[in-house]
Amino acid sequence: MGRIPMAENVLILGTGCAGLTAAIYAARAGLSPLVLEGGQPGGQLTTTSEVENFPGFTHGVDGNELIGSMKGQAERFGARFAWDRIASVDFSGPVKKLVGGEATYEAKAVIIATGASPRLLGIPGEKEYYGGNGVTTCATCDGAFYRDVPVAVVGGGDSACEEALFLTRFASRVLLVHRRETFRASDIMVQRVKSHPKIELVLNVSPVAVLGDAKVHTLRVADRSGAERDLAVKCVFVAIGHVPNSGPFTPALEVDDNGYFVAGPNTVSTRVPGVFVAGDCSDHVYRQAITAAGMGCRAAIEAERWLAGH
Ligand code: NAP
């Protein structure tokens, strides 16, 4: 293949742990990657408070601080950053073409680390009140608006437990609403939640509607028999998992039934040579900051090898 003058060596999509780690490795390999920050610059860690399980921080680290350091590290080695969201791709030729809202990009290698977006409940009232009126997916962003009032957190995973604990700083009471008796969250988080005096567990019910006037005043839930009851809360924090951001890249790339990218045995190669995936857009098993970072590292090394071979 001849030299391609205008194409980027490596285009990296996403600036969460996966994208930024890929950027550090690709930049340090002298590839001068262009990194696109998408809908949520910094990824999910920017919506979390304290990260306690990223190795190297004895007493934990603030999510934004960690992401800021990773970005600075990538910039130090020559990574370039721009903002755009990719709407469609053409991966049929040797040069990959990606169409964004701001520009069209050409790259010899692409690393997709677009992460995952919060899943919503899909119940009446949720969309209507989403944002500033009493339904949100980010306690770190919106928790401080709900001081001395009761709030609900929906979900039974680590995210829901973390959100509930964080919200105890502001809310008068936190109702943790989960559809089962047992939690998906890790034991340490469940123990913290159960022993917190401000948190009340509301188990074996599912939310069926969010009700309010100008703002939310009630979360209606139903048990398995269908019997409904109303919880008086001023905000509903939805923490029921995430949906991978893979839409614009299908059908060019293969995804599974839940929309996660399907990768080869090295976890980052796709069926398109030169296109790699990393982080929560392709990992439905581990979904940790450190595993996303590890995948970003692998993707950059694979991209570097692929470029060297072409
Ligand atoms: P998750 O583990 O997939 O848990 C989602 C929870 O939402 C589950 O309890 C699920 O209930 C519930 N749920 C899903 N759909 C629902 C619906 N329609 N209505 C009601 N409830 C619903 O997601 P996550 O908590 O966001 O965690 C994702 C990953 O990030 C995990 O691997 C987690 O360990 C990691 N994480 C780690 C930390 C930490 O280590 N500090 C913090 C946050 C997240 P069921 O249990 O009944 O399915």
Side-chain angles (χ1 to χ4, degrees):
M1 193 174 73
R3 191 167 167 272
I4 306 158
M6 295 304 290
E8 298 287 342
N9 284 318
V10 185
L11 183 66
I12 299 172
L13 310 181
T15 52
C17 276
L20 289 176
T21 305
I24 292 168
Y25 273 77
R28 201 159 172 272
L31 294 172
S32 183
L34 176 62
V35 190
L36 297 185
E37 315 200 57
Q40 190 178 9
Q44 290 175 48
L45 280 196
T46 60
T47 66
T48 196
S49 44
E50 182 98 337
V51 183
E52 287 186 331
N53 50 10
F54 201 91
F57 301 92
T58 312
H59 302 291
V61 59
D62 175 80
N64 280 290
E65 200 181 314
L66 180 58
I67 285 295
S69 299
M70 287 187 188
K71 186 175 178 188
Q73 201 176 348
E75 281 173 327
R76 183 160 81 86
F77 293 115
R80 294 161 297 131
F81 287 82
W83 188 91
D84 207 349
R85 287 181 92 152
I86 297 304
S88 64
V89 297
D90 178 358
F91 289 159
S92 58
V95 174
K96 284 81 187 167
K97 295 194 175 84
L98 300 95
V99 180
E102 307 291 317
T104 295
Y105 305 87
E106 293 192 345
K108 300 175 203 169
V110 178
I111 296 173
I112 302 172
T114 45
S117 298
R119 178 181 287 132
L120 293 174
L121 291 158
I123 57 174
E126 183 183 46
K127 275 202 177 137
E128 191 184 339
Y129 291 107
Y130 193 82
N133 293 324
V135 177
T136 174
T137 53
C138 180
T140 326
C141 319
D142 298 326
F145 296 124
Y146 299 93
R147 285 179 192 275
D148 304 320
V149 293
V151 300
V153 175
V154 182
D158 281 322
S159 297
C161 292
E162 197 173 80
E163 304 271 82
L165 288 162
F166 179 75
L167 288 166
T168 59
R169 299 183 195 184
F170 312 104
S172 58
R173 210 156 57 105
V174 180
L175 306 182
L176 182 52
V177 179
H178 179 36
R179 63 186 177 184
R180 293 189 295 131
E181 185 77 32
T182 51
F183 284 82
R184 194 173 290 275
S186 51
D187 283 346
I188 186 170
M189 297 298 272
V190 175
Q191 288 319 317
R192 282 182 197 169
V193 158
K194 283 185 172 169
S195 61
H196 200 290
K198 270 192 178 179
I199 299 178
E200 182 184 329
L201 302 184
V202 184
L203 302 178
N204 300 311
V205 294
S206 292
V208 291
V210 179
L211 309 174
D213 300 316
K215 301 214 173 204
V216 166
H217 58 55
T218 299
L219 175 64
R220 181 164 293 164
V221 297
D223 66 19
R224 288 204 186 99
S225 73
E228 294 185 350
R229 66 185 154 119
D230 287 347
L231 308 173
V233 293
K234 298 292 184 195
C235 188
V236 180
F237 292 83
V238 181
I240 58 167
H242 290 80
V243 182
N245 296 320
S246 59
F249 311 99
T250 58
L253 301 183
E254 190 184 350
V255 294
D256 68 14
D257 290 345
N258 295 314
Y260 289 92
F261 289 119
V262 174
N266 67 7
T267 73
V268 295
S269 292
T270 68
R271 68 182 173 195
V272 179
V275 177
F276 306 91
V277 291
D280 283 14
C281 58
S282 63
D283 172 21
H284 59 91
V285 179
Y286 300 105
R287 298 178 293 177
Q288 304 296 306
I290 188 66
T291 52
M295 291 174 83
C297 163
R298 284 174 178 224
I301 290 174
E302 289 297 334
E304 190 188 338
R305 287 179 183 162
W306 190 83
L307 286 168
H310 291 75

